[in-house]
Amino acid sequence: MRKLGSILFFLTMLSSSFGQTKNSLLPISHLTGDFYVYKTFHDYKGTLISANAMYLVTDEGVVLFDAPWDKTQFQPLLDSIKARHNKKVIMSFATHSHDDRAGGIEFYRQKGIKTYTGKATDAILKKENKPRAEFVLPNDTTFTVGKYKFEVYYPGKGHAPDNIVVWFANEKVLYGGCFVKNAAAEDLGYLGDSDVKEWEKSIKKVQVKFKNPKYIIPGHEDWADIRSLDHTLELVNKYNAEKASGKSDKK
C-alpha cells in the first residue's frame, strides 16, 4: 500500500512538473486593468532569451501587440486568451520586421485576425519576401477599440529602421517593443539593423510626446522598472560617445 502511494505521489509530481514546464513556455502576467504582458522564449546563439509582448482585452475582442517569438506558441496564445477571457483576438500589430515581432503575421492573418504593420515594416517584409500584414499604416494612427484609445507612433530609426511604439494616453501605458531596452540591460544588444545615432533623437521624441508613463514594456527581459526608456537613452548616449572616441568598433 505504501509502495502504491509512493508511485501515485511520483506520478502526481511528474504531471505537475510537466504542466509547469508546458506553461512556462508562455507565461502571462497581468499588467493593469485589461492589459496583459506575455513572454515567449527563443534560443539565440545558444542562449535562451525571453521576448515580451502585450495584449489588451476589450468588449469588441482582444488586441495583440506583437506575436510570440516561439512559433510553437502562436496557437497556444490564442487558446490561452480564449480560456482566460472567453474572447477572440481580433487585431494584431507587429512593431517591426524582426521575427520576434512580425513572425506571426501569416499565421494570424489566416486565422481571420486583422494584421497591421507600419509602412516601413511593410517595405522591409516585401523586400525580404516575407509575409506581409493585411493593413499598412502610412502614418501615425490612432485607434479606438471598445472603450480604449491608443496611438501607434513611428518615432524614427532606433533598434530597427522601422520600429514603432504604442501609447495609451488614458492609462499611461507605453508599449515600446525592442525600441526600449529593459532597465537592467548592460548594452544595446543586437545592432545589426540599428541606427544608434538616430535612436537618441527618436527616444527624445517619445519622451516629449508621451509624458509620465506609468508602465513601459520593453522588448525583452524584465518590464517592471519604468526607468527603462531613460536607461535606453543612457545606453545609446554611452555607445555614441564611445563610437565617437573609437572605443566601440566591436559593435
Side-chain angles (χ1 to χ4, degrees), residues 72-91:
T72 69
Q73 299 304 304
F74 289 167
Q75 183 62 47
L77 175 61
L78 299 184
D79 296 340
S80 296
I81 289 172
K82 179 65 175 177
R84 184 185 289 245
H85 309 288
N86 195 30
K87 291 183 182 293
K88 293 182 178 180
V89 175
I90 59 170
M91 305 169 73

Side-chain angles (χ1 to χ4, degrees), residues 6-249:
S6 298
I7 293 173
L8 290 174
F9 177 76
F10 172 76
L11 291 174
T12 299
M13 292 301 294
L14 183 63
S15 175
S16 175
S17 175
F18 175 76
Q20 290 174 6
T21 301
K22 184 178 180 182
N23 291 337
S24 69
L25 295 175
L26 185 66
I28 298 175
S29 303
H30 179 240
L31 179 65
T32 182
D34 292 318
F35 294 82
Y36 294 82
V37 176
Y38 73 89
K39 285 182 178 287
T40 51
F41 303 87
H42 183 80
D43 188 310
Y44 180 71
K45 295 183 178 180
T47 301
L48 196 64
I49 300 175
S50 69
N52 301 321
M54 187 177 79
Y55 68 82
L56 169 68
V57 182
T58 80
D59 292 338
E60 296 182 14
V62 174
V63 183
L64 187 64
F65 300 95
D66 288 327
W69 198 1
D70 178 357
K71 64 182 180 180
T72 69
Q73 299 304 304
F74 289 167
Q75 183 62 47
L77 175 61
L78 299 184
D79 296 340
S80 296
I81 289 172
K82 179 65 175 177
R84 184 185 289 245
H85 309 288
N86 195 30
K87 291 183 182 293
K88 293 182 178 180
V89 175
I90 59 170
M91 305 169 73
S92 176
F93 292 81
T95 56
H96 67 274
S97 66
H98 293 166
D99 287 345
D100 58 339
R101 306 293 143 188
I105 285 178
E106 184 65 17
F107 182 90
Y108 292 127
R109 185 171 181 174
Q110 290 182 359
K111 291 289 182 178
I113 297 168
K114 294 179 179 179
T115 52
Y116 296 81
T117 65
K119 179 171 60 176
T121 297
D122 183 66
I124 293 171
L125 294 174
K126 181 180 180 180
K127 182 179 179 181
E128 296 179 350
N129 197 29
K130 292 182 177 180
R132 296 159 66 193
E134 181 181 3
F135 300 99
V136 177
L137 309 176
N139 301 300
D140 303 328
T141 308
T142 298
F143 289 84
T144 299
V145 184
K147 66 179 182 179
Y148 291 97
K149 182 180 289 187
F150 57 90
E151 181 178 354
V152 179
Y153 175 66
Y154 174 63
K157 297 177 181 180
H159 166 75
D162 56 323
N163 42 214
I164 58 178
V165 300
V166 186
W167 171 247
F168 297 82
N170 291 337
E171 297 78 18
K172 298 292 185 181
V173 173
L174 176 65
Y175 179 74
C178 296
F179 180 78
V180 180
K181 303 296 295 182
N182 82 87
E186 297 181 357
D187 57 45
L188 293 172
Y190 175 71
L191 295 176
D193 296 316
S194 303
D195 188 326
V196 186
K197 190 173 183 179
E198 289 298 314
W199 201 345
E200 179 181 348
K201 301 175 185 177
S202 301
I203 291 173
K204 290 178 179 178
K205 288 181 182 178
V206 171
Q207 291 175 323
V208 170
K209 189 173 180 64
F210 306 133
K211 296 183 181 297
N212 303 316
K214 293 181 179 178
Y215 305 93
I216 302 176
I217 309 303
H220 298 277
E221 306 304 333
D222 182 62
W223 46 266
D225 192 332
I226 63 168
R227 294 175 297 175
S228 53
L229 186 60
D230 291 335
H231 180 63
T232 305
L233 181 58
E234 291 172 1
L235 291 175
V236 166
N237 286 337
K238 179 182 178 182
Y239 178 93
N240 285 331
E242 291 179 350
K243 194 75 173 178
S245 65
K247 295 180 180 179
S248 192
D249 293 335

